[in-house]
Amino acid sequence: MTLAEENYIKAIYHLGFNGTETVNTNAIAEAMNTKASSVTDMIKKLSEKNFVDYKKYQGVTLTDDGRFIAVNMIRKHRLWEVFLVEKLNFNWDEVHEVAEHLEHIKSKKLINQLDKFLGYPTHDPHGEPIPDASGQIKKMDKILLSEALENSSCICVGVQDSSVEFLQYLDKNNIALGATLKVLQIEPFDNSVTIKINEKELVVSNVIAKNLYVKVQ
Amino acid sequence: MTLAEENYIKAIYHLGFNGTETVNTNAIAEAMNTKASSVTDMIKKLSEKNFVDYKKYQGVTLTDDGRFIAVNMIRKHRLWEVFLVEKLNFNWDEVHEVAEHLEHIKSKKLINQLDKFLGYPTHDPHGEPIPDASGQIKKMDKILLSEALENSSCICVGVQDSSVEFLQYLDKNNIALGATLKVLQIEPFDNSVTIKINEKELVVSNVIAKNLYVKVQ
DNA sequence: TTTAAAATTTAGACAAATCTAAAAATATGT
DNA sequence: ACATATTTTTAGATTTGTCTAAATTTTAAA
């Protein structure tokens, strides 16, 4: 299992809605910043090794083996992110890049001891669930802020977009995971949302509201 | 800077007595489990990039740049080893392999925060000194147990051979870094050493004594 | 339903890191 | 000092992951 193979498998997992749907060549090429022809080559290799099911011109889906590898990498990625934030004082907008590298370290003992050391966290710093050692993912019944009803009370539980820019926007406006917010008003014209958070009123655009997950209380 | 390049630089550093002496092709080939011809190829590349000084048939020495890279990798390697032992309950004979991978992760913030998190340790679990952020290495005036005089009192401070086998021998005999020992007798015939450690007498062969560093008190 | 556009694959090439086998340079022993 | 052994380098090939350009297949539109 090479680094490149692992990265392709991970991309296919994410693009295929957690390994459930077929992914096409161009989508992979764009996600991995490479050319479609390179993707075809790699897909053939992954198919030979039985990590993906592939029929020419029809896109790929992960096999059980492929999905297992993907989930394991995601487990590692998210545990390392927790480590960076909780133990090494990284901000949530700085962890992704480093975790991209750490996720490739292969040592069962390392990752299971890290899990224990961190107190078996269930979610990463962006609210994404952490698969357990057997690959099981518990998912939360979160909704997007844009889907919340007027007057509902919610807790911020995650982000859809975890880009540096969006995370820094949230920091700037004091929106952190775990914070309680109330939906005061939804403007019908542009779907912007007025919320009350940290005892203050704040108007966020629909773009923002579509990228923030909340749990209704 | 590729993974292979980094590993060659590290090997040259270690083989050349911490980057001070010239190293020959065959020595590198053996250390890296590769062929002399591959080494020549890589040396040319490292020479082009100015990490080593190289004249055909005359072996290589690290440049200042090369040495800086080597020391930095060693800093990372040893800090990760401390992390694994102190925080993740690894035994000192299990850390090397994992640290070989972790040492390649490139993030200044990661390594400096790790250093801080660990309380700025000065030595790794095998007693090797950890270079500081500027690359400075403080060295200890340790000697081999085989060089200690009869009746001297010492503290175990490090190992020369850090193979799994040797470390497990030490574990089995309850010899840990930090332990106090007294040299009771040196047998002139085979240079075996009788020591008193943990209130017990123990005879160790000259082979053992040549692989254990002590500090005379 | 035929044709144009888009997506995908193939063919052929390249860089990195390695190898084997052969050639060249250096070192060694008497 | 010189023949031989050892070490090192070169030449040519291979594998992995990538690329460009051309060919093929699928999709979409008129």
Side-chain angles (χ1 to χ4, degrees):
Chain A
M1 180 94 302
T2 69
L3 220 139
E5 287 172 351
E6 288 192 346
N7 284 331
Y8 273 95
I9 288 175
K10 195 178 47 152
I12 295 167
Y13 180 88
H14 285 306
L15 291 168
F17 298 91
N18 302 329
T20 58
E21 288 179 27
T22 299
V23 182
N24 32 266
T25 306
N26 269 359
I28 299 171
E30 193 185 359
M32 305 224 25
N33 240 299
T34 186
K35 297 295 146 82
S37 55
S38 309
V39 174
T40 303
D41 289 345
M42 180 55 89
I43 280 173
K44 282 180 188 164
K45 208 167 91 176
L46 293 175
S47 177
E48 290 249 310
K49 294 189 175 186
N50 257 296
F51 296 133
V52 298
D53 286 322
Y54 169 59
K55 273 197 200 106
K56 269 195 202 177
Y57 297 99
Q58 308 306 140
V60 281
T61 47
L62 287 178
T63 61
D64 286 350
D65 281 6
R67 209 163 16 245
F68 181 79
I69 287 167
V71 169
N72 222 269
M73 290 184 64
I74 286 162
R75 168 171 161 78
K76 292 192 275 182
H77 184 104
R78 293 180 182 166
L79 282 172
W80 280 117
E81 287 195 343
V82 172
F83 171 72
L84 294 172
V85 167
E86 306 259 300
K87 306 294 182 182
L88 300 196
N89 281 105
F90 275 61
N91 202 288
W92 67 345
D93 61 352
E94 301 175 307
V95 296
H96 184 75
E97 201 196 317
V98 181
E100 285 286 293
H101 295 105
L102 286 164
E103 72 186 1
H104 295 287
I105 307 281
K106 282 166 206 59
S107 162
K108 253 193 194 138
K109 178 160 185 171
L110 173 63
I111 210 64
N112 289 336
Q113 289 294 108
L114 181 65
D115 194 16
K116 185 178 174 185
F117 179 61
L118 297 172
Y120 305 106
T122 56
H123 293 81
D124 80 6
H126 312 111
E128 295 296 319
I130 299 175
D132 69 20
S134 74
Q136 225 48 41
I137 305 173
K138 230 199 244 143
K139 68 162 159 279
M140 208 193 299
D141 50 347
K142 63 192 178 186
I143 59 169
L144 289 171
L145 174 57
S146 58
E147 297 160 345
L149 300 177
E150 262 179 13
N151 288 314
S152 56
S153 278
C154 315
I155 299 176
C156 295
V157 294
V159 294
Q160 163 66 221
D161 170 2
S162 59
S163 69
V164 172
E165 293 73 27
F166 183 58
L167 297 175
Q168 289 185 351
Y169 166 87
L170 296 178
D171 282 344
K172 206 167 54 191
N173 289 284
N174 252 292
I175 303 173
L177 298 199
T180 305
L181 62 82
K182 184 160 185 182
V183 179
L184 299 181
Q185 201 223 321
I186 299 169
E187 170 58 45
F189 181 66
D190 66 353
N191 293 310
S192 61
V193 186
T194 306
I195 59 177
K196 186 169 186 176
I197 185 166
N198 304 312
E199 313 297 317
K200 277 189 201 156
E201 285 191 19
L202 179 69
V203 181
V204 302
S205 73
N206 181 252
V207 176
I208 301 294
K210 272 184 172 159
N211 278 307
L212 188 61
Y213 284 115
V214 297
K215 191 173 172 180
V216 181
Q217 293 198 285
Chain B
M1 179 95 302
T2 68
L3 221 139
E5 286 173 351
E6 287 193 345
N7 284 331
Y8 273 95
I9 288 176
K10 194 178 50 154
I12 295 167
Y13 180 88
H14 285 307
L15 291 168
F17 298 92
N18 302 330
T20 58
E21 288 179 27
T22 298
V23 183
N24 30 266
T25 307
N26 268 359
I28 300 171
E30 193 184 359
M32 306 226 22
N33 242 299
T34 185
K35 296 296 147 80
S37 54
S38 308
V39 174
T40 302
D41 288 345
M42 179 55 89
I43 280 173
K44 282 182 189 163
K45 208 167 91 175
L46 293 175
S47 177
E48 290 248 310
K49 294 190 176 186
N50 259 294
F51 296 133
V52 298
D53 286 322
Y54 169 59
K55 271 195 201 108
K56 269 194 198 175
Y57 296 100
Q58 306 306 140
V60 281
T61 47
L62 287 178
T63 60
D64 286 350
D65 281 6
R67 207 159 21 242
F68 181 79
I69 287 168
V71 170
N72 222 269
M73 290 183 65
I74 287 163
R75 168 171 160 79
K76 291 192 276 182
H77 184 104
R78 292 179 183 166
L79 282 173
W80 280 117
E81 287 195 343
V82 173
F83 171 72
L84 294 173
V85 167
E86 306 259 299
K87 306 294 184 183
L88 300 196
N89 280 104
F90 275 62
N91 202 288
W92 67 344
D93 62 352
E94 301 174 307
V95 295
H96 184 74
E97 202 196 317
V98 181
E100 285 286 294
H101 298 289
L102 286 164
E103 72 187 359
H104 294 287
I105 307 281
K106 281 166 206 60
S107 161
K108 252 190 196 142
K109 177 160 186 170
L110 172 63
I111 210 63
N112 289 336
Q113 289 294 107
L114 181 66
D115 194 15
K116 185 179 176 185
F117 178 61
L118 297 171
Y120 304 105
T122 57
H123 293 81
D124 80 6
H126 313 110
E128 295 297 320
I130 299 175
D132 68 20
S134 73
Q136 224 49 42
I137 305 174
K138 230 198 248 144
K139 68 162 161 270
M140 209 193 299
D141 50 346
K142 63 191 178 185
I143 59 170
L144 289 172
L145 174 59
S146 58
E147 296 160 344
L149 301 176
E150 262 177 12
N151 288 314
S152 55
S153 279
C154 315
I155 297 177
C156 296
V157 294
V159 294
Q160 164 65 222
D161 170 3
S162 59
S163 69
V164 172
E165 293 73 26
F166 183 57
L167 297 176
Q168 289 186 351
Y169 166 89
L170 296 177
D171 282 344
K172 205 167 55 192
N173 290 284
N174 251 290
I175 303 172
L177 297 200
T180 304
L181 62 82
K182 184 160 185 181
V183 179
L184 298 179
Q185 200 222 322
I186 299 169
E187 171 58 45
F189 181 65
D190 66 352
N191 293 310
S192 62
V193 185
T194 307
I195 59 176
K196 187 169 185 176
I197 186 166
N198 304 314
E199 313 297 315
K200 278 188 198 158
E201 285 191 18
L202 178 69
V203 182
V204 301
S205 73
N206 180 253
V207 176
I208 300 294
K210 272 184 171 158
N211 278 308
L212 188 62
Y213 284 115
V214 298
K215 191 172 172 181
V216 182
Q217 296 199 284

